[in-house]
Coordinates of all heavy atoms in Angstrom, one line a residue:
D466 N -13.3 -8.2 16.8 CA -12.1 -7.4 16.7 C -11.8 -6.8 18.1 O -12.2 -5.7 18.4 CB -12.4 -6.3 15.7 CG -11.1 -5.5 15.3 OD1 -10.2 -5.5 16.1 OD2 -11.0 -5.0 14.1
F467 N -11.0 -7.5 18.8 CA -10.6 -7.1 20.2 C -9.9 -5.8 20.2 O -10.0 -5.0 21.1 CB -9.8 -8.2 20.9 CG -10.6 -9.5 21.1 CD1 -10.1 -10.7 20.6 CD2 -11.8 -9.5 21.8 CE1 -10.8 -11.9 20.8 CE2 -12.5 -10.7 22.0 CZ -12.0 -11.8 21.5
K468 N -9.0 -5.6 19.2 CA -8.2 -4.4 19.2 C -9.1 -3.1 19.1 O -8.9 -2.1 19.7 CB -7.2 -4.4 18.0 CG -6.3 -3.2 18.1 CD -5.2 -3.3 17.0 CE -4.2 -2.2 17.1 NZ -4.8 -0.8 17.2
K469 N -10.2 -3.2 18.2 CA -11.1 -2.1 18.1 C -11.8 -1.8 19.4 O -11.9 -0.6 19.8 CB -12.2 -2.4 17.0 CG -11.7 -2.1 15.6 CD -12.9 -2.3 14.6 CE -12.4 -2.0 13.2 NZ -13.5 -2.1 12.2
F470 N -12.2 -2.8 20.1 CA -12.8 -2.6 21.4 C -11.9 -2.0 22.4 O -12.2 -1.2 23.2 CB -13.4 -4.0 22.0 CG -14.7 -4.3 21.4 CD1 -14.8 -5.3 20.4 CD2 -15.9 -3.7 21.9 CE1 -16.1 -5.7 19.9 CE2 -17.1 -4.1 21.4 CZ -17.2 -5.0 20.4
K471 N -10.6 -2.5 22.4 CA -9.6 -2.0 23.3 C -9.3 -0.5 23.1 O -9.2 0.3 24.0 CB -8.3 -2.8 23.2 CG -7.2 -2.3 24.1 CD -7.5 -2.3 25.5 CE -6.3 -1.8 26.4 NZ -6.7 -1.7 27.8
D472 N -9.3 -0.1 21.8 CA -9.0 1.3 21.4 C -10.2 2.2 21.9 O -10.0 3.3 22.4 CB -8.8 1.4 19.9 CG -7.5 0.8 19.5 OD1 -6.6 0.6 20.3 OD2 -7.3 0.6 18.2
I473 N -11.4 1.7 21.7 CA -12.6 2.4 22.1 C -12.6 2.6 23.6 O -12.8 3.7 24.2 CB -13.9 1.8 21.6 CG1 -14.0 1.8 20.1 CG2 -15.1 2.4 22.3 CD1 -15.1 0.9 19.6
A474 N -12.3 1.5 24.3 CA -12.3 1.6 25.8 C -11.2 2.5 26.3 O -11.4 3.3 27.2 CB -12.0 0.1 26.3
A475 N -10.0 2.5 25.7 CA -8.9 3.3 26.1 C -9.3 4.8 26.0 O -8.9 5.6 26.8 CB -7.7 3.0 25.3
S476 N -10.1 5.1 24.9 CA -10.5 6.5 24.7 C -11.4 7.1 25.8 O -11.5 8.3 25.9 CB -11.1 6.7 23.3 OG -12.4 6.1 23.3
V477 N -12.1 6.2 26.5 CA -13.0 6.6 27.6 C -12.6 6.1 29.0 O -13.4 6.1 29.9 CB -14.4 6.2 27.3 CG1 -14.9 6.9 26.0 CG2 -14.6 4.7 27.1
N478 N -11.3 5.6 29.0 CA -10.8 5.1 30.3 C -11.6 4.0 30.9 O -12.0 4.0 32.1 CB -10.6 6.2 31.3 CG -9.7 5.9 32.5 OD1 -8.8 5.1 32.3 ND2 -10.0 6.5 33.6
S479 N -11.9 3.0 30.1 CA -12.8 1.9 30.5 C -12.0 0.5 30.4 O -11.1 0.4 29.6 CB -14.0 1.8 29.5 OG -14.8 0.6 29.8
Y480 N -12.4 -0.4 31.3 CA -11.9 -1.7 31.2 C -12.6 -2.5 30.1 O -13.7 -2.1 29.7 CB -12.2 -2.5 32.5 CG -11.5 -2.0 33.8 CD1 -12.2 -1.6 34.9 CD2 -10.1 -2.0 33.9 CE1 -11.6 -1.1 36.0 CE2 -9.5 -1.5 35.0 CZ -10.2 -1.1 36.1 OH -9.6 -0.7 37.2
V481 N -12.0 -3.6 29.7 CA -12.6 -4.5 28.7 C -12.7 -5.9 29.3 O -11.7 -6.4 29.8 CB -11.9 -4.5 27.4 CG1 -12.6 -5.5 26.4 CG2 -11.9 -3.1 26.7
L482 N -13.8 -6.5 29.2 CA -14.0 -7.9 29.6 C -14.3 -8.7 28.3 O -15.3 -8.4 27.6 CB -15.1 -8.1 30.6 CG -15.6 -9.6 30.7 CD1 -14.6 -10.5 31.1 CD2 -16.8 -9.6 31.7
A483 N -13.4 -9.6 27.9 CA -13.7 -10.4 26.7 C -14.1 -11.8 27.1 O -13.3 -12.5 27.8 CB -12.4 -10.5 25.8
D484 N -15.3 -12.1 26.8 CA -15.9 -13.4 27.1 C -15.7 -14.3 25.9 O -16.5 -14.2 24.9 CB -17.3 -13.3 27.5 CG -18.0 -14.6 28.0 OD1 -17.4 -15.7 27.6 OD2 -19.0 -14.6 28.6
I485 N -14.8 -15.2 25.9 CA -14.5 -16.1 24.8 C -15.0 -17.5 24.9 O -14.4 -18.4 24.4 CB -13.0 -16.1 24.4 CG1 -12.1 -16.6 25.6 CG2 -12.5 -14.7 24.0 CD1 -10.7 -16.9 25.2
A486 N -16.0 -17.6 25.7 CA -16.6 -19.0 26.0 C -16.8 -19.8 24.8 O -16.5 -21.0 24.8 CB -17.9 -18.9 26.8
H487 N -17.3 -19.2 23.8 CA -17.6 -20.0 22.6 C -16.5 -20.2 21.7 O -16.4 -21.3 21.0 CB -18.7 -19.3 21.8 CG -20.1 -19.7 22.2 ND1 -20.8 -20.8 21.6 CD2 -21.0 -19.2 23.1 CE1 -22.0 -20.9 22.2 NE2 -22.1 -20.0 23.1
V488 N -15.5 -19.4 21.7 CA -14.4 -19.5 20.7 C -13.0 -19.8 21.3 O -12.0 -19.8 20.6 CB -14.3 -18.2 19.9 CG1 -15.5 -17.9 19.1 CG2 -13.9 -17.0 20.8
A489 N -13.0 -20.2 22.6 CA -11.7 -20.5 23.3 C -10.9 -21.5 22.5 O -9.7 -21.3 22.4 CB -12.0 -21.0 24.7
G490 N -11.5 -22.6 22.0 CA -10.7 -23.6 21.3 C -10.1 -23.0 20.0 O -9.0 -23.3 19.6
L491 N -10.9 -22.1 19.3 CA -10.4 -21.5 18.1 C -9.2 -20.5 18.5 O -8.3 -20.4 17.7 CB -11.5 -20.7 17.4 CG -12.7 -21.6 17.0 CD1 -13.8 -20.7 16.5 CD2 -12.3 -22.6 16.0

């Protein structure tokens, strides 16, 4: 759930790195 991670990061002024190596095709 990328949106949940983004919301959490925004609340603490953090960047997000999403590593989609396994699911890129999906």
